[in-house]
Amino acid sequence: MPSTFQRHLAILFLSMVVLFSLNSQTLKPSRSWLTVDTIMRDPKWMGTSPDNVYWSEDGERIFFEWRREGDEGDSLYVINASGGQARRVMLEERKKLPSRFGNYTKDWSKKTYIREGDVFALDIRRNVETQLMQSVTGESNPRFSFDERKVTFEREGNMFSRNLSTGVETQLTNLRSGSQPPESRKTDLQKTLERQQMELFEVLKNRKDDRDAQKKFQEMLELKKPKPFYVGQKNASGFFLSPDEKYVTLVLAETQTSAKRTIVPNYVTESGFTEDIGARTKVGEPTTVFEFFVYNIGLDSMMAVKPDSIPGLILPKSPTDTSKANPKPRPVSYNGPFWSHDGKSAFVQVFSQDNKDRWIVALDVEKAKFGTVIEHQNDDAWIGGPGIRFGSVGWMPDNKRMYFQSEADGWSHLYTATIDGKSKTQLTKGKFEIYQPMMSRDKKRWYFTSNEVHLGEQHFYSMPLEGGASTRITSLEGRNQAILSPDEDRIALLYSYSNKMPELYVMENRPSAKVTRLTDSPSREFSAYAWRVPDLLTFKARDGADIPARVYKPEKPNGAAVIFVHGAGYLQNAHKWWSSYFREYMFHNLLADKGYTVLDMDYRASAGLGRDWRTPIYRYMGGKDLDDQVDGAKWLVQQHGIDARRIGIYGGSYGGFITLMALFTQPDVFAAGAALRPVTDWAHYNHGYTSNILNIPQEDTIAYRRSSPIYHAERLKKPLLICHGMVDVNVHFQDAVRLVQRLIELKKENWELAVYPVEDHGFREPSSWTDEYKRILKLFESNLRK
């Protein structure tokens, strides 16, 4: 086995050969020089794409994060929108820049934001910035009042306002942690003795009368302050001052102390001692309780807004429930309120915590109650899709209608509804999804991103405010992430293609306008390889569904294939743009160089393909999503001449879970598999993700048992590699340890566990990536080659 020095020397020699070749004028990008050591280095070897793009407030410059040679890490760059060279923003200049985030006045002429924990206001037209306060406590969520004469903000769990003319700061709420101190009460004896003293000694009586009069006078001189409300261990958030400035709405959240939190042991520490990392709860533990409140400033009173009257919130008793107790309202969470442009109406989004329902309801702050249900969405599986949860909602210009996204027809589209809930209009329609709809500043049209052209492409569109034909503005094949200039005349465009990392472009805001490239990110070494454009196609599943997939074809097929299973479940990877799985993309090129055909599909549960593609895994993960992998293996045999005995499978996170289910429940289909950071038992994963799909383990044991690999491990036949980071705070290392113990007790021998002591769910160290993928390659080379 070569020494570490010999390996490093080989890498250095390879790099010198590549760089020498780059100097040749006749060289074209080539293949065959990839190795795991090469592609799993620090990604800076590839070059770094621009990211987090935004415009200056005057629309003349574009800011973005980038990394060039010599930068220690990602740095902030700026370039003139008219072109020229991008330059790095120096630290002192960066400290003075307005935040890219913030809240604007109605005419977009002023902006308020947080910088370094303090509140600032910017007069955009005059380019004058004002620091509204300087404190050590830190403020957040600044927002202009409805009349735009004040800025409201949050500090230490309360709401304040700052008058922009006078500079006067006013505390609007006075919430305090803990319990109200008990009043000092006198005993009957103490009261009796005090009365006697007042009767016997006139000097004492006169002094007390003087003190009482002085106290009353001082109280009259003092400005009225909100009285304290004690909230125990609850945390306040979501403060909003009503347009008439008479009410403050807020949400109180109480974490349930009975919910046991997990720990993740960290063995390789600076202290030399094993240290515990506090982590999440497990699915099914009691969840945070949310309450919506209205604080009446004039009356100095707090009132809870009860959701009990919302239709459908209380489910009917099941036939098997023989108890006499009345059903209780389901726990909910809140988003809002959202006030109309004229300040007369408001609505709130309410989500059931069992993930089945979403309501958009009118809010009456004066009476502190919810009113008309404007929109109700229910899904027997779970509410989801682009823009659905805490997503795209707001008011139409007429103040009589609001807009929202819904999967009512199976795809996430834009709708409007009247505030009485009697009329609903669908503005976009078709077998595609829309993303991030926003109204133009003049409120005459919509802008949004959509995959209408092809489910594997994303383009930027405009559409009349009341719906109708949409106009496609971008034209480059792939993914077009558009960032509009403040005047909406130009677009900063992050564009990428299957084998081209994202680059920054600029164009006019009109269909098929000329696109000018502003950045060039790939390194010369990265560009020296002829990166494949995988075939984007569909194949038929057993139930007739068309499964979108990427196929990497080798020039010299060896008769073997590898199926890659993307993570997250709800994620899209069979598309025409640069993948977030860039390391895997490079690894698939390496596999193709070695003769393997690689299949990467958007199986059932994946994103970008509508509601009916998202939800077939409800109550059975490892069902239809795994069937798609098996059908993909059969398709490879039938259409690409792959040897059915030489197909491997691998993936991370959800992909690791599917790999385990494949080897455990379909033991004769795959010759080997690598499960990276896999979930092995869904009852040990988090609540938010898992309860959506499988409900909770104490109430749906069937769903959890059939969906968890640990219950099917007895059928393992083929070689299995498990790789897991030991400080993974997402899918805990405990998942791998429990499965290993199960395999030991089952007397299985054809498995291997590789542990990475300093790695979380997403690896950071190039050495860890390299070790992991060398093991994966060795697994396939040992078991898939003839």
Side-chain angles (χ1 to χ4, degrees):
M1 179 178 291
S3 66
T4 301
F5 173 77
Q6 290 172 319
R7 289 198 298 270
H8 288 171
L9 188 63
I11 295 171
L12 178 61
F13 176 75
L14 176 62
S15 300
M16 292 175 64
V17 170
V18 172
L19 291 174
F20 174 79
S21 300
L22 285 170
N23 290 325
S24 170
Q25 305 234 341
T26 60
L27 178 75
K28 293 183 179 180
S30 62
R31 293 189 176 136
S32 78
W33 56 268
L34 290 186
T35 66
V36 172
D37 287 292
T38 303
I39 62 180
M40 295 298 164
R41 288 175 286 169
D42 186 317
K44 66 182 180 182
W45 81 269
M46 305 161 50
T48 303
S49 293
D51 197 8
N52 295 323
V53 177
Y54 67 99
W55 288 84
S56 61
E57 294 295 344
D58 60 9
E60 296 300 320
R61 297 173 297 165
I62 302 172
F63 291 89
F64 55 97
E65 291 182 6
W66 205 23
R67 184 173 183 172
R68 304 298 302 275
E69 188 175 349
D71 293 341
E72 293 184 1
D74 288 359
S75 301
L76 184 66
Y77 278 77
V78 63
I79 191 170
N80 290 330
S82 57
Q85 292 293 318
R87 67 173 179 84
R88 187 152 62 102
V89 179
M90 295 296 101
L91 182 61
E92 287 306 311
E93 179 185 1
R94 188 169 184 173
K95 288 180 178 179
K96 298 176 182 178
L97 287 175
S99 171
R100 59 178 294 199
F101 307 104
N103 178 256
Y104 293 85
T105 54
K106 299 179 184 69
D107 63 359
W108 302 91
S109 66
K110 294 181 176 65
K111 176 181 178 180
T112 182
Y113 48 88
I114 295 291
R115 188 171 67 216
E116 300 298 325
D118 290 319
V119 181
F120 288 78
L122 176 68
D123 187 318
I124 295 171
R125 292 170 182 167
R126 296 168 53 219
N127 193 31
V128 175
E129 182 184 69
T130 303
Q131 184 169 355
L132 299 184
M133 61 200 63
Q134 185 175 13
S135 67
V136 296
T137 53
E139 289 79 32
S140 61
N141 300 323
R143 187 182 290 116
F144 286 103
S145 61
F146 185 76
D147 64 9
E148 299 179 351
R149 296 177 181 177
K150 306 178 186 70
V151 168
T152 63
F153 57 92
E154 296 173 32
R155 179 196 293 150
E156 295 186 321
N158 278 291
M159 185 177 225
F160 297 77
S161 71
R162 173 64 64 99
N163 189 301
L164 295 174
S165 298
T166 66
V168 172
E169 180 179 301
T170 303
Q171 183 170 348
L172 300 177
T173 64
N174 190 9
L175 306 182
R176 299 184 183 182
S177 299
S179 302
Q180 183 170 354
E183 292 183 12
S184 177
R185 294 188 177 183
K186 298 175 181 179
T187 64
D188 291 341
L189 174 62
Q190 292 168 352
K191 293 176 184 178
T192 300
L193 293 177
E194 184 175 324
R195 280 197 306 271
Q196 289 178 350
Q197 294 295 94
M198 294 302 106
E199 291 172 358
L200 291 171
F201 304 106
E202 186 174 353
V203 65
L204 294 181
K205 180 179 182 303
N206 291 337
R207 289 178 180 179
K208 183 178 184 304
D209 290 343
D210 288 344
R211 285 198 310 273
D212 291 345
Q214 184 64 26
K215 181 180 178 182
K216 188 172 183 180
F217 180 70
Q218 287 297 124
E219 290 175 349
M220 293 173 63
L221 289 176
E222 288 181 358
L223 294 174
K224 182 183 177 184
K225 296 180 180 179
K227 69 181 180 184
F229 287 92
Y230 291 87
V231 297
Q233 300 305 309
K234 300 174 184 178
N235 295 310
S237 63
F239 291 88
F240 206 106
L241 179 64
S242 65
D244 60 11
E245 301 186 16
K246 294 180 179 179
Y247 306 93
V248 174
T249 54
L250 59 110
V251 174
L252 290 182
E254 183 176 21
T255 301
Q256 301 301 290
T257 56
S258 60
K260 185 173 182 178
R261 304 195 73 84
T262 55
I263 59 169
V264 174
N266 185 6
Y267 295 97
V268 183
T269 64
E270 294 181 5
S271 69
F273 291 88
T274 301
E275 299 172 2
D276 289 337
I277 301 172
R280 54 170 171 79
T281 60
K282 297 187 178 186
V283 59
E285 284 282 39
T287 57
T288 300
V289 175
F290 297 95
E291 299 173 281
F292 194 92
F293 279 85
V294 172
Y295 171 65
N296 186 314
I297 296 175
L299 298 179
D300 206 3
S301 63
M302 284 262 291
M303 292 187 65
V305 184
K306 299 292 186 181
D308 305 20
S309 62
I310 297 176
L313 181 64
I314 302 177
L315 297 178
K317 294 175 67 172
S318 68
T320 57
D321 186 355
T322 58
S323 67
K324 295 182 180 181
N326 292 324
K328 294 181 179 180
R330 285 178 287 166
V332 296
S333 59
Y334 303 93
N335 177 229
F338 300 86
W339 284 93
S340 58
H341 307 294
D342 61 7
K344 295 180 180 179
S345 305
F347 67 81
V348 175
Q349 293 193 92
V350 182
F351 296 89
S352 65
Q353 288 195 22
D354 64 6
N355 311 305
K356 309 296 184 190
D357 291 273
R358 173 200 189 192
W359 296 270
I360 300 175
V361 296
L363 172 66
D364 185 334
V365 289
E366 185 175 353
K367 297 180 180 178
K369 63 185 296 185
F370 293 126
T372 303
V373 175
I374 303 170
E375 165 70 0
H376 177 209
Q377 298 171 13
N378 171 267
D379 197 309
D380 291 338
W382 72 94
I383 292 288
I388 306 297
R389 290 195 65 86
F390 305 102
S392 307
V393 293
W395 285 88
M396 297 293 282
D398 60 9
N399 296 304
K400 298 178 181 178
R401 294 171 296 159
M402 49 82 62
Y403 65 84
F404 58 94
Q405 282 183 257
S406 170
E407 287 185 320
D409 70 351
W411 299 81
S412 184
H413 281 295
L414 186 62
Y415 293 76
T416 63
T418 54
I419 58 175
D420 60 9
K422 294 180 179 179
S423 177
K424 182 166 68 175
T425 303
Q426 185 171 357
L427 300 186
T428 60
K429 189 174 184 178
K431 292 186 177 181
F432 58 89
E433 294 182 331
I434 70 164
Y435 309 92
Q436 300 171 335
M438 65 177 185
M439 207 176 292
S440 62
R441 290 191 172 187
D442 63 9
K443 295 182 171 55
K444 293 181 179 180
R445 64 187 64 83
W446 292 100
Y447 291 111
F448 55 82
T449 298
S450 170
N451 58 0
E452 180 177 0
V453 169
H454 186 283
L455 294 178
E457 292 188 48
Q458 289 188 358
H459 287 277
F460 192 60
Y461 291 79
S462 67
M463 183 183 71
L465 189 67
E466 298 298 338
S470 59
T471 300
R472 177 178 157 190
I473 297 173
T474 54
S475 58
L476 298 175
E477 183 182 11
R479 187 182 197 184
N480 298 264
Q481 298 171 266
I483 302 96
L484 278 171
S485 63
D487 61 10
E488 300 182 353
D489 287 341
R490 289 174 291 182
I491 294 171
L493 189 69
L494 266 182
Y495 166 74
S496 71
Y497 188 59
S498 302
N499 65 342
K500 297 176 182 177
M501 63 178 64
E503 297 289 2
L504 180 60
Y505 296 75
V506 68
M507 62 180 288
E508 293 181 8
N509 182 13
R510 56 182 177 83
S512 302
K514 178 185 176 182
V515 178
T516 302
R517 183 170 173 173
L518 300 179
T519 61
D520 185 10
S521 302
S523 67
R524 298 178 70 190
E525 183 181 1
F526 182 81
S527 300
Y529 182 85
W531 299 103
R532 289 171 175 81
V533 176
D535 291 348
L536 189 60
L537 46 77
T538 62
F539 65 86
K540 287 289 183 185
R542 65 189 69 184
D543 60 0
D546 293 312
I547 311 296
R550 279 180 161 189
V551 178
Y552 298 76
K553 293 181 179 178
E555 282 75 19
K556 297 178 181 180
N558 64 10
V562 171
I563 293 178
F564 170 67
V565 188
H566 69 67
Y570 191 63
L571 179 146
Q572 187 176 9
N573 204 47
H575 49 58
K576 296 183 182 180
W577 62 83
W578 185 250
S579 176
S580 58
Y581 287 100
F582 62 90
R583 291 184 180 87
E584 289 78 358
Y585 168 77
M586 293 188 290
F587 184 62
H588 298 161
N589 275 269
L590 185 155
L591 288 175
D593 287 346
K594 292 181 175 293
Y596 296 94
T597 299
V598 181
L599 177 63
D600 170 8
M601 72 185 75
D602 278 337
Y603 50 88
R604 247 65 73 92
S606 298
L609 301 160
R611 183 264 175 198
D612 292 342
W613 204 264
R614 172 174 62 83
T615 58
I617 60 170
Y618 179 58
R619 297 193 67 239
Y620 192 5
M621 291 192 271
K624 281 189 175 292
D625 45 0
L626 177 57
D627 288 346
D628 292 343
Q629 315 298 328
V630 175
D631 293 345
K634 293 178 181 177
W635 177 80
L636 286 169
V637 173
Q638 295 168 357
Q639 299 298 322
H640 290 266
I642 299 300
D643 185 342
R645 299 166 298 176
R646 295 194 291 135
I647 300 175
I649 186 170
Y650 90 103
S653 196
Y654 197 94
F657 151 74
I658 287 291
T659 298
L660 291 178
M661 292 294 277
L663 266 62
F664 293 171
T665 68
Q666 302 287 336
D668 298 320
V669 175
F670 300 98
L676 320 177
R677 53 198 181 276
V679 174
T680 66
D681 187 343
W682 286 107
H684 290 259
Y685 195 50
N686 69 34
H687 186 89
Y689 180 94
T690 319
S691 63
N692 272 346
I693 304 169
L694 300 180
N695 303 312
I696 56 177
Q698 60 267 43
E699 294 180 3
D700 201 342
T701 55
I702 293 175
Y704 278 83
R705 183 172 286 266
R706 68 185 176 188
S707 300
S708 296
I710 199 167
Y711 290 104
H712 309 286
E714 70 278 358
R715 297 182 63 191
L716 175 65
K717 293 181 180 179
K718 304 298 174 58
L720 166 63
L721 168 66
I722 306 168
C723 299
H724 213 131
M726 294 181 72
V727 288
D728 189 336
V729 296
N730 182 6
V731 180
H732 296 169
F733 182 60
Q734 182 191 31
D735 268 58
V737 174
R738 293 179 71 245
L739 178 61
V740 163
Q741 180 60 28
R742 180 71 176 147
L743 293 171
I744 291 171
E745 293 184 10
L746 290 168
K747 297 181 173 59
K748 299 294 181 180
E749 298 178 354
N750 52 343
W751 57 273
E752 174 187 354
L753 172 65
V755 301
Y756 299 87
V758 299
E759 296 296 356
D760 198 341
H761 197 61
F763 284 11
R764 294 177 58 186
E765 300 301 323
S767 56
S768 300
W769 283 106
T770 301
D771 181 90
E772 182 179 52
Y773 274 78
K774 279 186 173 180
R775 292 176 187 274
I776 297 169
L777 182 60
K778 181 180 178 182
L779 176 77
F780 292 149
E781 292 277 69
S782 300
N783 293 282
L784 304 186
R785 282 196 180 276
K786 282 187 176 179

